[in-house]
Amino acid sequence: MSERQHAYLVVDPETARLRVALEDSLPDPVTAVEAGLNVGDPVPEHLRVHHGNWLAWPHRRWAFTHVDELRASARITARGPVGDPLPDARTVGADGTVGLEEFEGLAVDDGDGGTWSLPEMLHHTYADGFLVVYRGEVVAEWYGDGMDRSTRHIMFSMTKTVTGVLALLAIHDGLMGLDDPLVDHVPELADSAFAPVTVRQALDMTDGIRFDEDYASPDSDIGRYGIAMSFTPVPSGWDGPVGVHEGILALTERAAPPGEAFAYKSVTTDVLAWATARATGQRWVDGVSERIWSSMGAEVDAAVVLDDRGIAVSSGGMSCTLRDLARFVRMLGRSGRVGAGDDERRAIPAAVADDVAAGGDPAGDIAEAYPTRAGWTYHRQCWNARHVLGGLVQMGIGGQRAFCHPEEDLVVATFGSHPVAGNALTDPIFTSLVRGILART
């Protein structure tokens, strides 16, 4: 991968306090067991994983599959029959692995002028899980670090697409309009930066508010907002907002007119979720449980982190299994349908799924801000590479990705615990992986 310097959080072994490491190379991809995390009793303080250090390396290796043990969480229930059964196309190995031999000889760009085999790529990109579903069958599946197909892993910003679908369902039901001002549904926004923003602009993140989403800086807007939404503990002497809603209302500055340009901001998703909850009269967690998770036939209950006021972190707090993630993104690529043959059914309206999958106008290219995503768009709370790779891409920090190619009926999904938050570093690697898999379908 790139030779530029990398900044990431670590726990000092002597003081057990957080510090920022600035290194020329990334750390070795040790597992949670190899790192000795949460092993024994008493656990050495610098190896104990808790709310105060869960985003540090290597602590995230354990934390990302145990988020609902670290923070108050709500259950997203999966009721009813499974939608997509996802049978294994190959024999399952003793370690739970399926079909990796099918991709023997696949050369993946390592982002630094060389190539990796698939197992090498999974190792060097800090992958926790890898899944390929082709025409409804699992052709490859792999898990690391104690995970299996029943393990929930945090999705981070892939949660945004779930929130986008929930908002579009409210619009489809006539409870909210695309051009409604958000303030019509949440009057409390009248004195905030979101006062002139519409539902459509929130869905596509063209809201124009001033918000710095710099994950490497604790003093950035996202750093302060992370405290408000309980992703990180409230520090001593904190005089800022507590809770998602207070965090939203604390934002009063604008950077551009609404609707003018895309700029990625997690807080916008939580505003959209607030407006959707008001329009439907239903909590985010109940709406997702009923209208999405149960409707699509998820196999395992999901979970979502709650802030200190009991509000779901709809911008990045959801955890689910890798197979259920694949079911969700595949449903979007199949016009809202799940199942096959006599068991095929409509889980969400075609108009909703197709709107997400279509992506935005490629004339609004975002390459200036995201050079590794030239030709991509951001539409309805989801990244879209339809004009480059042929499909939509859910993404979350730390290596969470789910790609769906609707025409090929192909899903490629990964969970990870990369030390660096942003995914730009691994964009070329994932693009190469997808292209290599598409060439074999």
Side-chain angles (χ1 to χ4, degrees):
M1 286 184 278
S2 170
E3 294 181 357
R4 66 180 177 84
Q5 283 198 311
H6 308 285
Y8 54 93
L9 282 174
V10 296
V11 176
D12 190 292
E14 295 183 4
T15 65
R17 292 182 178 179
L18 289 178
R19 62 176 177 86
V20 175
L22 188 62
E23 304 290 347
D24 292 333
S25 59
L26 291 167
D28 291 336
V30 295
T31 66
V33 172
E34 290 168 343
L37 300 172
N38 277 4
V39 175
D41 190 7
V43 178
E45 189 61 25
H46 69 288
L47 297 176
R48 187 168 63 87
V49 184
H50 52 78
H51 181 218
N53 64 21
W54 74 287
L55 293 173
W57 173 262
H59 296 60
R60 55 179 51 201
R61 279 294 213 186
W62 187 92
F64 284 6
T65 54
H66 296 81
V67 174
D68 48 0
E69 295 181 38
L70 299 172
R71 285 301 301 154
S73 301
R75 187 61 53 92
I76 297 168
T77 54
R79 295 192 178 97
V82 172
D84 288 337
L86 302 184
D88 298 314
R90 305 286 184 271
T91 302
V92 182
D95 60 354
T97 298
V98 176
L100 289 196
E101 67 278 0
E102 294 299 313
F103 295 101
E104 189 172 335
L106 180 68
V108 182
D109 182 357
D110 68 359
D112 200 26
T115 60
W116 287 323
S117 66
L118 178 57
E120 288 173 335
M121 185 222 75
L122 295 174
H123 176 74
H124 288 294
T125 58
Y126 305 82
D128 296 324
F130 170 71
L131 180 68
V132 179
V133 177
Y134 182 55
R135 296 181 180 174
E137 292 188 328
V138 174
V139 297
E141 186 172 25
W142 170 90
Y143 296 100
D145 220 354
M147 282 189 67
D148 61 33
R149 60 181 58 176
S150 67
T151 305
R152 285 195 297 266
H153 190 290
I154 191 164
M155 297 163 58
F156 286 114
S157 287
M158 292 196 287
T159 311
K160 290 178 171 66
T161 309
V162 177
T163 299
V165 169
L166 193 63
L168 290 169
L169 288 170
I171 292 166
H172 184 271
D173 293 344
L175 300 174
M176 188 164 67
L178 269 174
D179 295 315
D180 287 357
L182 292 169
V183 73
D184 283 2
H185 299 283
V186 186
E188 295 94 323
L189 295 172
D191 294 325
S192 78
F194 286 98
V197 178
T198 66
V199 171
R200 184 194 306 273
Q201 291 156 357
L203 273 164
D204 296 342
M205 290 198 187
T206 59
D207 47 89
I209 73 156
R210 186 178 300 281
F211 191 88
D212 176 18
E213 188 110 356
D214 181 0
Y215 303 116
S217 172
D219 298 321
S220 65
D221 291 317
I222 190 62
R224 289 177 58 82
Y225 188 64
I227 296 171
M229 67 184 184
S230 304
F231 259 38
T232 52
V234 175
S236 176
W238 172 252
D239 61 354
V242 176
V244 166
H245 292 171
E246 285 190 16
I248 291 167
L249 298 179
L251 299 170
T252 59
E253 297 183 13
R254 298 192 51 77
E260 185 174 274
F262 164 76
Y264 189 87
K265 311 174 192 77
S266 290
V267 66
T268 302
T269 309
D270 290 322
V271 177
L272 180 66
W274 194 359
T276 304
R278 287 287 178 85
T280 61
Q282 191 174 42
R283 294 189 312 157
W284 184 92
V285 66
D286 296 328
V288 173
S289 294
E290 176 187 332
R291 301 298 306 277
I292 300 175
W293 220 240
S294 293
S295 182
M296 79 173 189
E299 189 173 14
V300 179
D301 288 351
V304 64
V305 172
L306 303 177
D307 71 8
D308 285 346
R309 300 286 192 258
I311 302 298
V313 180
S314 64
S315 57
M318 190 170 165
S319 296
C320 74
T321 67
L322 193 54
R323 283 187 167 225
D324 280 338
L325 173 62
R327 289 181 174 98
F328 174 75
V329 74
R330 183 172 185 247
M331 173 185 69
L332 297 178
R334 297 182 67 213
S335 295
R337 292 175 290 115
V338 298
D342 293 339
D343 294 323
E344 184 175 292
R345 58 183 174 81
R346 175 86 50 200
I348 63 173
V352 169
D354 291 346
D355 190 3
V356 178
D361 181 0
D365 188 30
I366 58 177
E368 184 174 342
Y370 298 93
T372 55
R373 296 171 199 170
W376 291 36
T377 61
Y378 192 86
H379 179 75
R380 306 310 193 235
Q381 296 287 310
C382 189
W383 293 98
N384 197 293
R386 195 168 190 116
H387 301 282
V388 179
L389 294 173
L392 62 151
V393 189
Q394 286 182 266
M395 284 199 296
I397 62 169
Q400 326 317 318
R401 296 181 188 255
F403 168 82
C404 177
H405 193 297
E407 283 72 31
E408 292 292 336
D409 192 8
L410 172 74
V411 172
V412 181
T414 63
F415 279 145
S417 45
H418 198 286
V420 177
N423 282 324
L425 189 66
T426 54
D427 277 346
I429 299 166
F430 190 78
T431 297
S432 173
L433 171 68
V434 167
R435 284 179 170 152
I437 293 173
L438 278 169
R440 293 177 174 230
T441 59

